[in-house]
Amino acid sequence: MTVTKYSANGNDFVMFVAQKKADRSELAKKLCHRQNGVGADGLVVVLPHPEYDFEWEFYNADGSVADMCGNASRAVAHFALEKGIAKDNKAEFLTGAGVIRATINGLYVVSDMVPPEIISEDVEEYGEHWWLINSGVPHLVAVRDNIDNFNIEEARTLRHKYNANVNICMVKDNALYVRTYERGVEDETLACGTGMVACFIRNHKEGKVSDQVKVHPRSGDELYVSYEEGVYRFGGKVTKTFVAETLI
């Protein structure tokens, strides 16, 4: 089979087009394996849909299904435009979290995120105050003055206790700096789109940032999150890294 590899600010994905839905959990584990497969944080399968440009199946590297992934939404929009599945530099597609609308300008892609749900503002763990926010998938968010130290074992414990991704962030000069432990990858990743959006939501609600900010994930890249006309938008560059034939 032929697959395409994309990186969205260090968050990487394998994707291909299929005609029918199927359980591809085992395939996801094989393709995403860093040593024996293509290597990726997730698998995206693009499927036909009668109303939208397409719908997707999204699998984490461990084969689990996720409703939404912000970085993957930008990468798959670019992929769909190249394949002629999306038209006029726009993509509208169905995810497990709802419909995503993306605008593609060269390698720069902006996704309109699904409406978030603030599940709790009062989570106390490890001496810190966390918010639990579903920005497509659930995220715990803590705000710190410094994010140099990220205790992965504590993050792993919280991930399983709340079945959520775990984020620490800080604000500096109206910019957000974010680190994320992702469920399904079960480690810190270089970037997490829904995590960056969740961090923005908390800080925006608390009045710590303006309606549009630069966001820097662990990869060091620069992305943008904004709140415009009641919609949270997430933008940044994507990279098509290669197309390959795999024997998996």
Side-chain angles (χ1 to χ4, degrees):
M1 63 185 296
T2 300
V3 299
T4 302
K5 175 79 176 284
Y6 269 84
S7 174
N9 311 101
N11 213 183
D12 56 346
F13 309 98
V14 180
M15 53 191 70
F16 62 87
V17 178
Q19 297 305 311
K20 294 182 180 180
K21 294 183 179 180
D23 181 353
R24 296 181 169 91
S25 296
E26 290 303 314
L27 177 62
K29 287 191 281 188
K30 290 177 181 179
L31 286 173
C32 293
H33 197 282
R34 295 287 178 185
Q35 286 73 41
N36 300 323
V38 177
D41 292 325
L43 167 66
V44 185
V45 184
V46 174
L47 296 158
H49 192 276
E51 184 178 352
Y52 304 107
D53 293 324
F54 62 95
E55 68 175 302
W56 82 4
E57 291 173 354
F58 184 87
Y59 298 88
N60 293 311
D62 67 354
S64 61
V65 175
D67 288 334
M68 177 56 185
C69 175
N71 284 320
S73 75
R74 296 186 299 108
V76 76
H78 188 276
F79 174 73
L81 184 67
E82 280 210 336
K83 292 290 185 182
I85 298 168
K87 309 286 186 184
D88 301 323
N89 295 322
K90 294 183 183 296
E92 187 177 46
F93 57 99
L94 184 63
T95 72
V99 177
I100 298 295
R101 295 171 179 85
T103 303
I104 307 104
N105 183 8
L107 293 175
Y108 190 87
V109 183
V110 178
S111 288
D112 289 0
M113 305 296 284
V114 295
E117 176 190 3
I118 298 176
I119 300 169
S120 175
E121 299 178 10
D122 298 302
V123 177
E124 299 292 334
E125 294 284 358
Y126 296 109
E128 286 192 281
H129 179 207
W130 305 76
W131 283 29
L132 182 58
I133 301 169
N134 190 322
S135 53
V137 292
H139 285 270
L140 283 166
V141 176
V143 182
R144 298 180 179 176
D145 294 329
N146 187 299
I147 59 171
D148 286 344
N149 296 317
F150 191 15
N151 190 313
I152 297 300
E153 289 307 315
E154 288 181 1
R156 185 172 290 118
T157 299
L158 292 175
R159 170 263 183 271
H160 287 288
K161 182 174 181 178
Y162 293 92
N163 191 26
N165 300 280
V166 181
N167 306 264
I168 57 173
C169 63
M170 69 176 186
V171 178
K172 183 178 180 181
D173 300 326
N174 195 47
L176 265 173
Y177 295 80
V178 177
R179 297 180 67 175
T180 303
Y181 179 98
E182 281 200 62
R183 64 180 190 176
V185 179
E186 305 308 333
D187 205 346
E188 181 178 9
T189 53
L190 292 177
C192 174
T194 52
M196 286 182 268
V197 173
C199 289
F200 171 78
I201 290 167
R202 173 174 177 174
N203 284 282
H204 187 255
K205 294 284 188 184
E206 292 184 323
K208 296 176 181 177
V209 295
S210 66
D211 289 347
Q212 178 172 316
V213 300
K214 296 176 182 177
V215 187
H216 302 275
R218 191 61 173 167
S219 67
D221 293 311
E222 185 175 274
L223 298 100
Y224 292 84
V225 181
S226 64
Y227 183 68
E228 306 170 56
E229 302 172 341
V231 177
Y232 290 95
R233 294 193 167 102
F234 174 53
K237 290 184 177 180
V238 300
T239 303
K240 179 181 176 182
T241 53
F242 61 79
V243 178
E245 181 179 325
T246 174
L247 303 178
I248 291 175

